[in-house]
Amino acid sequence: MSNARDINPILKQVLELGPPLVFFLIYLRIRDNTYVMGGTEYSGFIVATLVFVPIMLIAMAVLSALTGKLSRMQVFTAFMIVFFGALTAWFNDERFFKMKTSIVYGMFALLLGIGLLRGQSWLAFVLKDTMPMEDEGWMILTRRLCLMFAGLAVANEIVWRTMSTDTWFKIETFGFPIALVVFLFLQFSALQGYLIEEDEEDEEDEDA
């Protein structure tokens, strides 16, 4: 933690959001094409996936070098992208990469749910240092976010199984992230009363 460094927030957003956007743009460019590699014919979707994986890993490596850290969530998401990207290419089946989003959201919901069953907010364990909040507030936020992740996992399954690849791509790239950002914004606004001000923290430290 002591080695963590702050970087320009715009650069940070570019490194985090740039790869999915590049993936989307590459897909739009080559979606109607087919490519033969090693005697096997691949769709534009699968080729875009193969290009996206190294771009995402390079962006994560640069982000790690600049900030001196990577969150567990980032590492887990990167692992899932590489794993399901490899399955997509190996089996030449785009369904694997589409399922990846459901599994990632589902795993987040499962992990938060396990913590809740133990009477703990594992979300607080990850974020408490960056956003001091009363334990009750963390429990409320964790319950709601657990349900949100579960809902996104179900929504992704419905979208990719019933809609076109183009529609899924747009919703997965823009719809789900925007929905999550709006949800978190509304939750943090609603939970303002549970936030701990710096003055209160100082008083607690003095009392201790």
Side-chain angles (χ1 to χ4, degrees), residues 98-106 109 146-164 167-177 179-180:
K98 291 177 179 178
M99 285 189 289
K100 172 265 306 173
T101 302
S102 303
I103 295 173
V104 169
Y105 285 138
C146 178
L147 292 174
M148 181 62 176
F149 279 135
L152 289 174
V154 172
N156 184 69
E157 283 297 299
I158 294 172
V159 170
W160 82 260
R161 291 178 186 275
T162 63
M163 301 182 186
S164 68
T167 301
W168 172 82
F169 226 119
K170 293 171 184 175
I171 293 175
E172 198 270 346
T173 304
F174 302 106
F176 291 151
L180 188 56

Side-chain angles (χ1 to χ4, degrees), residues 61-208:
V62 172
L63 184 63
S64 177
L66 292 176
T67 63
K69 65 174 182 178
L70 280 176
S71 69
R72 294 181 180 91
M73 184 179 294
Q74 288 172 312
V75 173
F76 171 73
T77 302
F79 169 78
M80 296 297 285
I81 289 173
V82 172
F83 179 72
F84 281 94
L87 288 179
T88 298
W90 181 264
F91 291 102
N92 198 13
D93 190 337
E94 64 187 38
R95 291 176 298 177
F96 286 105
F97 203 73
K98 291 177 179 178
M99 285 189 289
K100 172 265 306 173
T101 302
S102 303
I103 295 173
V104 169
Y105 285 138
M107 285 297 296
F108 289 157
L110 178 63
L111 291 172
L112 293 179
I114 292 173
L116 289 170
L117 290 175
R118 294 169 56 90
Q120 300 172 329
S121 170
W122 289 357
L123 187 66
F125 174 74
V126 176
L127 299 176
K128 200 166 188 176
D129 290 340
T130 59
M131 191 181 70
M133 185 162 60
E134 296 176 10
D135 290 340
E136 183 179 355
W138 280 115
M139 293 299 290
I140 293 172
L141 179 59
T142 302
R143 284 194 292 269
R144 293 175 180 176
L145 191 56
C146 178
L147 292 174
M148 181 62 176
F149 279 135
L152 289 174
V154 172
N156 184 69
E157 283 297 299
I158 294 172
V159 170
W160 82 260
R161 291 178 186 275
T162 63
M163 301 182 186
S164 68
T165 295
D166 280 5
T167 301
W168 172 82
F169 226 119
K170 293 171 184 175
I171 293 175
E172 198 270 346
T173 304
F174 302 106
F176 291 151
I178 290 174
L180 188 56
V181 168
V182 171
F183 172 83
L184 290 173
F185 175 79
L186 293 175
Q187 295 310 308
F188 289 136
S189 298
L191 296 172
Q192 283 291 318
Y194 294 98
L195 295 179
I196 299 174
E197 301 294 337
E198 291 185 5
D199 292 342
E200 295 178 23
E201 285 188 285
D202 294 339
E203 289 178 8
E204 290 176 3
D205 293 339
E206 289 176 4
D207 293 338

